[in-house]
């Protein structure tokens, strides 16, 4: 019967044994023995999401590129999802985290449907829920690495909100994430201030223009994109659109040969 287990004699000779001349290699450290780590460097990411109010609704748009580092690995990656009857959520950042958030939204939608009390989740409620999820995750040092745009219509009133990965949130008439916050926001604000009662067609055309500008300026975007239109009658996510390209001035670019 052994009075001490093997760990007691680690690094030295057991009784009746010789001291090892060559020391055994250090035992492997398993993941469960080290500190808990969470993703802070996402693998597959999406870039800008754009949102714009128009007279009677909201338009949300995003390209379909899933970038693996600097490689445009996935070019048919949807980054828009419908939540409830009159709300759409779009996200940039880590696609795996966006899928996790989508599952959470599906769960609260299912829970709401189970009550069968005639009440539906409003876009403002969904926006508020996402802010709580993001802030809670950030407080636990395991953030969902996303920037989210929430658009919808409730009681005929358009809603457009923004949430980032640490829970910072706001509402506005024009919102954008990623590189679009620098490039597309000035274009959308100028057009909205000039025509705050723009029609659905005008809003869609404006976002298509912004997406085309981003395609030429943002190295993490492609010319394939989705557009979601939300009105009081429901959500319409248009089939993927491929924007036109024009490289006639490419010969003028110097220094990248």
């Amino acid at each position: 019967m052994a009075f001490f287990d093997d760990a007691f004699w680690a690094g030295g000779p057991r009784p009746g044994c010789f001291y090892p001349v060559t020391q055994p290699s250090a035992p492997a450290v398993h993941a469960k023995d080290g500190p808990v780590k969470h993703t802070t460097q996402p693998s597959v990411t999406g870039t800008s999401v754009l949102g714009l109010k128009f007279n009677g609704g909201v338009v949300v748009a995003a390209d379909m590129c899933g970038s693996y580092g600097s490689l445009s690995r996935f070019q048919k990656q949807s980054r828009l999802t419908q939540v409830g009857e009159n709300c759409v959520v779009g996200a940039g950042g880590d696609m795996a985290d966006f899928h996790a958030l989508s599952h959470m939204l599906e769960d609260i939608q299912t829970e709401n449907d189970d009550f069968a009390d005639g009440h539906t989740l409003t876009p403002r409620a969904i926006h508020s829920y996402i802010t709580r999820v993001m802030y809670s995750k950030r407080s636990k040092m395991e953030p969902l690495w996303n920037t989210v745009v929430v658009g919808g219509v409730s009681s005929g009133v358009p809603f457009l909100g923004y949430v980032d990965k640490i829970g910072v949130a706001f509402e506005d008439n024009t919102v954008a994430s990623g590189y679009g916050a620098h490039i597309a926001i000035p274009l959308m604000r100028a057009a909205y201030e000039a025509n705050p009662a723009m029609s659905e067609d005008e809003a869609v055309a404006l976002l298509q223009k912004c997406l085309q500008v981003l395609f030429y300026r943002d190295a993490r975007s492609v010319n394939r994109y989705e557009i979601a239109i939300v009105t009081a009658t429901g959500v319409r996510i248009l089939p993927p659109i491929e924007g036109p390209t024009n490289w006639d001035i490419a010969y003028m670019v110097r220094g990248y040969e």
Side-chain angles (χ1 to χ4, degrees):
M1 178 178 178
F3 293 99
F4 301 102
D5 59 16
D6 292 339
F8 182 81
W9 305 107
R14 294 175 59 89
C17 299
F18 296 100
Y19 193 88
V21 177
T22 57
Q23 292 292 330
S25 58
V29 177
H30 299 286
K32 65 179 181 180
D33 299 326
V36 177
K37 298 180 180 179
H38 301 280
T39 302
T40 55
Q41 295 180 334
S43 298
V44 178
T45 61
T47 182
S48 308
V49 181
L50 311 180
L52 174 68
K53 289 183 181 179
F54 64 87
N55 186 19
V58 173
V59 180
V60 179
D63 70 58
M64 303 185 70
C65 181
S67 298
Y68 183 77
S70 59
L71 172 68
S72 296
R73 178 63 182 83
F74 306 100
Q75 299 192 10
K76 296 182 180 180
Q77 182 77 48
S78 177
R79 298 193 286 123
L80 303 179
T81 183
Q82 180 178 348
V83 182
E85 299 177 358
N86 297 92
C87 181
V88 65
V89 174
D94 188 10
M95 288 295 93
D97 284 350
F98 174 53
H99 294 160
L101 179 61
S102 297
H103 291 318
M104 294 180 193
L105 295 173
E106 289 174 4
D107 288 343
I108 65 168
Q109 180 63 46
T110 301
E111 181 181 4
N112 182 78
D113 293 342
D114 288 344
F115 289 133
D117 56 3
H119 292 279
T120 59
L121 294 173
T122 64
R124 188 179 300 276
I126 294 168
H127 179 257
S128 178
Y129 172 78
I130 295 174
T131 64
R132 297 305 88 209
V133 169
M134 293 300 197
Y135 187 78
S136 173
K137 290 286 189 177
R138 169 254 192 183
S139 298
K140 297 175 182 177
M141 301 301 291
E142 50 178 15
L144 294 177
W145 212 262
N146 296 114
T147 303
V148 181
V149 172
V150 181
V153 177
S154 179
S155 301
V157 180
F159 174 87
L160 190 59
Y162 168 103
V163 189
D164 72 5
K165 64 179 177 293
I166 61 173
V168 174
F170 61 85
E171 304 170 25
D172 204 348
N173 298 317
T174 59
V175 299
S177 69
Y179 204 56
H182 306 282
I183 300 297
I185 281 289
L187 300 175
M188 292 192 293
R189 282 179 177 170
Y192 187 85
E193 290 171 1
N195 183 18
M198 67 176 64
S199 66
E200 176 184 316
D201 292 339
E202 290 172 331
V204 170
L206 175 58
L207 287 196
Q208 287 180 318
K209 175 185 176 182
C210 292
L211 288 166
Q212 185 178 21
V213 171
L214 285 170
F215 170 61
Y216 288 115
R217 301 292 189 275
D218 187 356
R220 301 294 176 265
S221 66
V222 294
N223 64 323
R224 179 192 295 268
Y225 51 85
E226 282 184 317
I227 295 178
I229 303 169
V230 190
T231 62
T233 59
V235 176
R236 288 184 291 127
I237 300 180
L238 304 181
I241 302 169
E242 288 195 15
T245 60
N246 185 344
W247 299 102
D248 291 343
I249 64 171
Y251 73 94
M252 299 175 62
V253 178
R254 294 290 183 269
Y256 297 96
E257 293 84 355

